Amino acid sequence: MEREKRNDMSFSRKRSFTFGAYGGPESAEDNILDILDSPTTESKPFLSASSNQRDTELFEIIEKLQGSRIDEQRCEFPLPLKSQLLTIGGDLLLILPSKLGGYWIDPPLDRLVDVSPTSSYHGLDPESYDIMERDAEAKIYHEFFRSRYHHSFTAVDPSLGPLVLSCVLGGRGEQAAGDTKKLCFMSHRMKECSLHGVFSVSLFPNIPSAVELAKMLCDRVTVSKFEVVSYLKAPELITAFDEHRVSPNFKFGILCQKDRQFTEEDILSNNEESEEFKEFLSILGETIQLQGFTGFRGGLDVCHGQTGSEAVFTSFQGREIMFHVATKLPFTEGDPQQLQRKRHIGNDIVALVYQEGQTPFLSDVIKSHFLHCFLVVRRIQKEEQTGEPAYQVSVTAREDVPPFGPVLPDPPIFTDRLLLREFLLTKLINAEISCYKAQQFSRLELRTRSSLLESLQAELSTRSQCMMGDPSLSALPSSEGARGVSEGSGGFIENFKRAIRVRSHSFETLGVPRKSGSSASQKPKTEKDGER
């Protein structure tokens, strides 16, 4: 009674939703839309994340995520929906769109006319469940340059900022064709992107300079001189930069939405795991003990038990996946928002929602700056012939997230557990990769790349001077530990944090000014003991 009273009081702040614009067949779904369109009393305007938030600086957003967001994160259904929606007969949709828009749903509402395990089925075979490439060109330097004798150069362009150029002579059939047929392969790193190219040395009477090579790939280069990189560990640093976007590890949130649960608070407050939910988790992966776990931990505590004692983990096609299961994360009495749980799930980019019952999931009910996509799964009636449970799947994502595979079968029903696992894991990975192309993440990635490149160029330049015998730089400490591969293996958010740490570490220890335009021109201010 006390919980119901609290929920009813919370609905005094109402939010009106209308869905008539989406159309659809004349069925129970139309009745839902009519109810959602019904007027509410004492309605108050809803303050949401609109264009003002989109214009917020991304670094401020990162800081904001660490603070209290209780009022900002609240997103509730209006009273008429809660009181009338549950009285409608028949199967309800898995996902309902928000009145404010901003999300797409797959399959669309007009396709869900007849969804049942016995409907005619057509879809893709598991062999076509291909995982998208995060960055297909990231390993070019590691695979082609590092095993050959090559040179790297650095410069700070007045308009383009820091530049790192690598080139190598070589090519297939070069020995048979003679030296004049040799090819020159180049990799040119700028803030916006990396450019790769190849040309025949015979086009030039002499081997071109680094400036000429750079201008062949980008005619916007205006710098008149490059510095030679002579630091012995330069290939390791360059490889770490090129592959900072590539990670074999992923972390996803898992929410359990029980019947009659409409709000974020209700969903995050679930503690009990039904046998049905446990069975579904077993499809995704294995329940492991966090204490002493040595695999990819996805930000969970494996030493002191501060993030619970168990989690769900799996390996899939050479990738490690950690699931942040809400019911396994710590529950805080007296905190309706359950921020101890949301600090993990709210910082994931993709989450999976498992529905127990017929209550639909609203696209924007979970308020988060990072969550851009939800996969929603509902267990429906058992398949008559095999007696196995069937699962219905639907997907929703923010409107600036490009579509991604594998394609949902028609109807979106799975009766084979192995096929469901293959589909969901592939879909989750591709969803995160596709979300990186959304406006918010693409801007954040650009800042991350710019910061890492600025740090890389400054360190390569400074340590090369040290190798050449500059006495003022001979005792500089190494900052390689700050950009270890393990730190960047946790995904996009960890790469951003790593960029900030690396940049801060490099600037402070090397004494390099923070402005990119002069990072290579000024001398370090301090000297420190022995290189580690």
Side-chain angles (χ1 to χ4, degrees):
M1 291 291 296
E2 191 172 348
R3 179 176 178 84
E4 289 183 12
K5 183 177 180 181
R6 185 187 66 184
N7 288 339
D8 291 339
M9 291 179 62
S10 68
F11 277 95
S12 61
R13 288 183 286 180
K14 298 181 180 64
R15 178 177 177 185
S16 177
F17 295 85
T18 56
F19 301 95
Y22 288 88
E26 291 292 336
S27 61
E29 289 79 4
D30 291 321
N31 296 332
I32 298 174
L33 304 184
D34 292 338
I35 290 175
L36 295 173
D37 284 332
S38 61
T40 61
T41 58
E42 301 178 3
S43 61
K44 297 180 182 180
F46 179 81
L47 300 178
S48 65
S50 60
S51 57
N52 291 335
Q53 270 189 335
R54 296 193 184 99
D55 296 336
T56 304
E57 286 293 326
L58 294 175
F59 286 104
E60 296 177 2
I61 292 177
I62 298 296
E63 293 182 6
K64 197 173 185 180
L65 284 169
Q66 310 306 323
S68 175
R69 303 166 293 174
I70 293 181
D71 292 333
E72 170 188 304
Q73 294 166 354
R74 191 177 301 278
C75 175
E76 303 177 9
F77 282 69
L79 183 59
L81 174 61
K82 188 170 186 179
S83 61
Q84 300 180 46
L85 176 62
L86 300 176
T87 64
I88 299 176
D91 292 338
L92 301 181
L93 302 174
L94 273 68
I95 302 174
L96 288 179
S98 166
K99 172 193 173 182
L100 299 178
Y103 287 80
W104 53 262
I105 297 177
D106 184 33
L109 301 186
D110 55 5
R111 274 180 53 189
L112 299 177
V113 180
D114 179 22
V115 174
S116 69
T118 58
S119 301
S120 58
Y121 177 92
H122 63 86
L124 299 176
D125 295 328
E127 289 77 10
S128 61
Y129 291 174
D130 297 326
I131 295 179
M132 297 168 59
E133 286 284 350
R134 178 73 174 91
D135 187 347
E137 299 178 345
K139 295 188 176 183
I140 288 180
Y141 178 82
H142 177 75
E143 296 176 353
F144 191 81
F145 285 75
R146 288 194 63 174
S147 61
R148 304 184 182 203
Y149 182 74
H150 68 281
H151 292 281
S152 295
F153 308 88
T154 69
V156 178
D157 191 273
S159 58
L160 299 179
L163 306 175
V164 178
L165 174 69
S166 300
C167 60
V168 60
L169 287 177
R172 295 179 179 177
E174 60 183 2
Q175 295 179 353
D179 291 342
T180 58
K181 297 298 184 180
K182 280 187 176 181
L183 302 177
C184 181
F185 294 83
M186 297 176 294
S187 182
H188 187 37
R189 301 161 191 86
M190 303 182 295
K191 284 187 174 182
E192 296 85 358
C193 63
S194 292
L195 301 176
H196 308 278
V198 57
F199 69 93
S200 174
V201 178
S202 61
L203 297 176
F204 297 87
N206 299 307
I207 299 295
S209 66
V211 175
E212 293 174 321
L213 292 175
K215 290 183 177 180
M216 289 183 64
L217 291 178
C218 179
D219 56 8
R220 294 183 294 145
V221 173
T222 59
V223 69
S224 59
K225 180 182 178 181
F226 275 79
E227 297 179 359
V228 178
V229 175
S230 56
Y231 183 45
L232 296 180
K233 292 187 177 181
E236 298 177 14
L237 303 183
I238 295 175
T239 299
F241 170 80
D242 282 356
E243 299 180 11
H244 77 271
R245 299 176 66 219
V246 179
S247 172
N249 305 324
F250 293 86
K251 55 187 181 73
F252 305 110
I254 296 184
L255 299 167
C256 181
Q257 181 187 15
K258 297 182 182 296
D259 211 12
R260 298 173 179 263
Q261 290 187 339
F262 298 96
T263 67
E264 175 184 296
E265 290 91 334
D266 289 339
I267 296 174
L268 288 175
S269 295
N270 289 324
N271 281 326
E272 297 182 1
E273 295 181 355
S274 65
E275 292 301 321
E276 176 183 317
F277 183 53
K278 291 179 181 178
E279 181 181 351
F280 175 72
L281 292 180
S282 69
I283 296 176
L284 296 176
E286 176 187 1
T287 299
I288 53 96
Q289 296 295 318
L290 286 174
Q291 185 70 33
F293 182 68
T294 58
F296 172 62
R297 60 188 182 91
L300 299 180
D301 181 15
V302 296
C303 297
H304 308 291
Q306 296 182 356
T307 56
S309 60
E310 294 181 342
V312 176
F313 173 86
T314 191
S315 296
F316 180 68
Q317 296 189 16
R319 297 162 175 83
E320 294 187 351
I321 302 174
M322 177 63 77
F323 292 99
H324 295 153
V325 185
T327 53
K328 296 183 183 298
L329 293 170
F331 176 83
T332 305
E333 292 286 350
D335 180 10
Q337 293 284 327
Q338 295 301 319
L339 293 184
Q340 283 296 319
R341 292 177 169 180
K342 192 171 181 183
R343 67 185 287 260
H344 293 285
I345 296 177
N347 283 334
D348 293 330
I349 297 175
V350 183
L352 192 152
V353 181
Y354 183 78
Q355 294 181 340
E356 294 183 352
Q358 300 293 312
T359 305
F361 179 80
L362 188 66
S363 297
D364 63 350
V365 69
I366 306 295
K367 305 304 293 182
S368 167
H369 291 294
F370 287 103
L371 278 172
H372 273 53
C373 179
F374 295 92
L375 272 65
V376 182
V377 180
R378 179 188 297 170
R379 179 169 171 166
I380 56 179
Q381 66 187 50
K382 291 188 176 182
E383 209 278 328
E384 296 178 357
Q385 295 181 352
T386 64
E388 294 295 326
Y391 296 89
Q392 182 179 347
V393 180
S394 188
V395 182
T396 183
R398 299 194 187 187
E399 59 185 358
D400 58 348
V401 175
F404 50 89
V407 178
L408 279 170
D410 188 12
I413 303 292
F414 292 86
T415 57
D416 186 293
R417 289 167 54 99
L418 293 179
L419 186 62
L420 175 65
R421 169 184 163 83
E422 291 279 332
F423 178 86
L424 289 180
L425 295 181
T426 305
K427 195 77 168 176
L428 286 168
I429 293 174
N430 289 347
E432 179 167 319
I433 294 175
S434 189
C435 285
Y436 291 140
K437 301 176 184 178
Q439 180 181 8
Q440 179 175 331
F441 289 134
S442 60
R443 291 171 57 193
L444 186 55
E445 276 202 317
L446 180 59
R447 292 198 177 201
T448 303
R449 176 186 174 86
S450 299
S451 178
L452 290 175
L453 182 61
E454 188 174 342
S455 176
L456 173 66
Q457 186 279 327
E459 184 161 3
L460 290 177
S461 175
T462 304
R463 299 213 169 274
S464 294
Q465 295 178 43
C466 177
M467 288 290 296
M468 300 302 292
D470 190 328
S472 64
L473 305 174
S474 59
L476 284 173
S478 173
S479 62
E480 292 160 21
R483 63 165 57 84
V485 176
S486 61
E487 291 190 46
S489 62
F492 177 74
I493 305 305
E494 289 303 318
N495 282 337
F496 177 83
K497 295 177 181 177
R498 171 188 164 218
I500 301 304
R501 287 196 298 269
V502 169
R503 183 179 183 183
S504 175
H505 183 90
S506 297
F507 284 136
E508 291 176 5
T509 60
L510 299 179
V512 180
R514 292 181 181 270
K515 293 184 179 180
S516 61
S518 59
S519 60
S521 60
Q522 299 188 25
K523 293 185 177 181
K525 300 177 183 179
T526 62
E527 294 183 10
K528 296 187 179 180
D529 298 332
E531 187 170 341
R532 294 181 292 180

